[in-house]
């Protein structure tokens, strides 16, 4: 049996008739840039997320970039982000002229470690970019409190977390701005690139909308220097179809993740981390060593609505690559998100020491993590295959 990491066709092909109708409708109107489909998609995204404003953007990366531009982040500013995330988070900080400052993460929830974050704040710090990695919210009350204390802006990188909640609030609506991605592997996976910015702030929404289109308003009058950060009308029309199914997809991911948690936690050698261990590497290490765990399962906190963009195991004792090979032998695909933390990337080697130091958990995770298939269309037999392949590895 073959279990891919993601099967976009299994999700898209059942929608073929609806997608073709959406395509045909745009084809007939001949309106390909901005316009009604784009506005309708933005209205529907705002409603789904529960945000006041939702502005479609050419990609998740551009969503981050345009948010930073709108907030005036630039040369001389330090912006703190996790070291353990996708490159785009920090790439966009650098592209504004600001300096990314890499912060360590929690080995349990994979998100910003609050104590480590506090230690990275300086007089130059302008903003914090919490990343809701793998679909679970960062501890936002702590982030917001620190931001308030030091007068910092919070930009949420919610690229992997559309629909995720923190104490009942949607991610992307807690900080000044939320940034989302519709890259095909994200929970609302598009047919190419796409992204979204959300904000509760009217003036900021207006500025981002203007920056998205060359800072232009009215036509051929440029009050700001923006860019072409528009999302295609065709992409919006197609994603409107999938947005109607997003809650069903989310339920599928949740069902699969809970199946893994309930079955794999019964296997000797596999343990689930507990929230008590959050943001404390040492305590976690001692506990796991005592338990003799070979594999640590991810945890979804009770106050979080986790949307499981990834289901990520930690494999101890340098056996992660062996598990990946073992799974491949059983036809089960897996992936390492992410093998090199950002403070170790060649392109950031010249940053000041303060930007790069004190990220031991990120280093450890890079050699321990392995994400397994959790996409909504997984068949029961495929889930069973994944569970039995992992069980036979620890036996
Ligand atoms: C995917 C992703 C992005 C970038 O989104 P794109 O749409 O691929 O440009 C940014 N941050 C994180 C955490 C991501 O996972």
């Amino acid at each position: 049996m073959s279990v891919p990491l993601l099967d976009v066709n299994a999700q898209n092909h059942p929608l073929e008739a609806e997608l073709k109708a959406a395509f045909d409708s745009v084809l007939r109107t001949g309106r390909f840039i901005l316009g009604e489909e784009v506005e309708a998609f933005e209205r529907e995204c705002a409603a789904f997320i529960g945000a006041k404003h939702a502005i479609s953007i050419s990609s998740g990366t551009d969503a981050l970039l345009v948010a930073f531009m709108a907030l005036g982040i630039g040369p001389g500013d330090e912006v703190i982000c996790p070291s353990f995330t996708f490159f785009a988070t920090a790439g966009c900080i650098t592209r504004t002229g600001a300096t990314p400052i890499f912060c360590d993460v929690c080995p349990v929830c994979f998100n910003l470690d609050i104590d480590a974050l506090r230690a990275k704040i300086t007089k130059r710090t302008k903003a914090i970019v919490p990343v809701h990695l793998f679909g679970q919210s960062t501890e936002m009350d702590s982030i917001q409190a620190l931001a308030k204390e030091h007068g910092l802006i919070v930009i949420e990188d919610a690229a992997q977390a559309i629909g995720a909640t923190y104490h009942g609030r949607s991610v992307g609506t807690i900080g000044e701005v939320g940034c989302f991605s519709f890259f095909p592997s994200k929970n609302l996976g598009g047919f190419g690139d796409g992204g979204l910015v959300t904000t509760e702030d009217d003036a900021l929404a207006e500025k981002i909308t203007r920056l998205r289109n060359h800072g232009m308003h009215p036509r051929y009058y440029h009050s700001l220097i923006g860019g072409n950060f528009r999302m295609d009308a065709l992409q919006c029309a197609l994603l409107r179809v999938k947005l109607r199914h997003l809650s069903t997809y989310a339920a599928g991911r949740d069902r699969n993740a809970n199946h893994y948690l309930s079955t794999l936690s019964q296997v000797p050698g596999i343990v689930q981390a507990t929230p008590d261990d959050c943001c404390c590497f040492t305590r976690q290490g001692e506990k796991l060593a005592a338990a003799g765990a070979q594999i640590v399962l991810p945890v979804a906190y009770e106050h979080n609505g986790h949307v499981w963009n990834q289901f990520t195991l930690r494999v101890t004792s340098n056996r992660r690559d062996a598990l990946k090979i073992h799974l491949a032998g059983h036809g089960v695909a897996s992936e390492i998100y992410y093998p090199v933390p950002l403070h170790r990337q060649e392109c950031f080697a010249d940053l000041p020491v303060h930007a790069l130091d004190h990220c031991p958990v990120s280093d450890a995770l890079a050699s321990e993590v392995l994400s397994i298939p959790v996409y909504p269309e997984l068949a029961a037999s495929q889930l069973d295959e994944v569970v039995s392949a992992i069980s036979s590895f620890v036996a």
Side-chain angles (χ1 to χ4, degrees), residues 57-64 84-90 92 131-134 157-161 179-186 192-196 309 338:
I57 300 286
S58 35
S59 70
T61 304
D62 287 345
L64 286 163
F84 192 67
T85 177
F86 179 59
F87 171 79
T89 317
C92 293
V131 179
H132 308 304
L133 204 70
F134 304 146
D157 183 341
Q160 300 182 7
C179 301
F180 296 85
S181 165
F182 306 123
F183 186 81
S185 68
K186 303 296 162 76
D193 285 306
L196 189 83
N309 180 245
Y338 296 94

Side-chain angles (χ1 to χ4, degrees), residues 318-388:
N318 274 323
R319 291 182 75 216
R320 189 264 314 275
D321 294 349
L323 175 59
K324 191 172 195 310
I325 292 165
H326 175 86
L327 292 178
H330 289 258
V332 175
S334 61
E335 191 54 88
I336 299 164
Y337 300 113
Y338 296 94
V340 183
L342 299 185
H343 69 283
R344 301 267 177 211
Q345 296 289 352
E346 187 182 345
C347 63
F348 295 129
D350 295 333
L351 289 177
V353 173
H354 164 66
L356 304 175
D357 62 0
H358 301 307
C359 295
V361 178
S362 300
D363 283 328
L365 289 176
S367 67
E368 290 180 356
V369 288
L370 192 66
S371 298
I372 60 174
V374 71
Y375 66 90
E377 296 77 19
L378 277 173
S381 58
Q382 290 177 304
L383 284 170
D384 290 344
E385 183 64 31
V386 177
V387 170
S388 82

Side-chain angles (χ1 to χ4, degrees), residues 103-119:
C103 179
D104 214 1
V105 297
C106 165
V108 179
C109 69
F110 304 117
N111 289 325
L112 279 175
D113 178 311
I114 305 303
D115 291 331
L117 174 62
R118 191 178 291 109

Side-chain angles (χ1 to χ4, degrees), residues 153-167:
I153 300 165
V154 175
I155 298 108
E156 294 176 69
D157 183 341
Q160 300 182 7
I162 189 165
T165 56
Y166 173 76
H167 288 290

Side-chain angles (χ1 to χ4, degrees), residues 264-317:
L264 290 172
S265 61
Q266 304 303 311
V267 178
I270 304 182
V271 301
Q272 187 173 21
T274 76
D276 296 340
D277 300 318
C278 191
C279 295
C280 185
F281 188 53
T282 316
R283 219 183 330 141
Q284 167 77 359
E286 282 167 359
K287 201 169 226 165
L288 293 177
Q294 298 177 56
I295 294 177
V296 186
L297 300 169
V299 60
Y301 296 151
E302 233 162 82
H303 59 271
N304 280 340
H306 195 323
V307 293
W308 299 108
N309 180 245
Q310 299 296 341
F311 188 95
T312 304
L313 309 172
R314 289 177 52 204
V315 189
T316 63
S317 316

Side-chain angles (χ1 to χ4, degrees), residues 181-307:
S181 165
F182 306 123
F183 186 81
S185 68
K186 303 296 162 76
N187 286 24
L188 181 58
F191 305 82
D193 285 306
L196 189 83
V197 169
T198 51
T199 183
E200 305 306 292
D201 182 320
D202 297 346
L204 199 55
E206 157 70 26
K207 192 170 180 188
I208 289 166
T209 305
R210 205 173 281 199
L211 286 170
R212 168 178 76 174
N213 196 18
H214 303 290
M216 182 164 78
H217 187 78
R219 187 173 270 244
Y220 305 126
Y221 287 77
H222 301 265
S223 52
L224 301 165
I225 299 173
N228 175 356
F229 299 126
R230 299 178 305 248
M231 186 169 154
D232 290 337
L234 264 176
Q235 187 67 256
C236 289
L238 296 171
L239 275 177
R240 286 183 71 196
V241 172
K242 291 191 73 174
L243 183 57
R244 294 198 280 274
H245 300 275
L246 185 52
S247 299
T248 309
Y249 301 152
R253 286 178 183 275
D254 197 54
R255 180 188 62 231
N256 296 341
N258 283 311
H259 181 78
Y260 286 146
L261 291 175
S262 61
T263 52
L264 290 172
S265 61
Q266 304 303 311
V267 178
I270 304 182
V271 301
Q272 187 173 21
T274 76
D276 296 340
D277 300 318
C278 191
C279 295
C280 185
F281 188 53
T282 316
R283 219 183 330 141
Q284 167 77 359
E286 282 167 359
K287 201 169 226 165
L288 293 177
Q294 298 177 56
I295 294 177
V296 186
L297 300 169
V299 60
Y301 296 151
E302 233 162 82
H303 59 271
N304 280 340
H306 195 323
V307 293

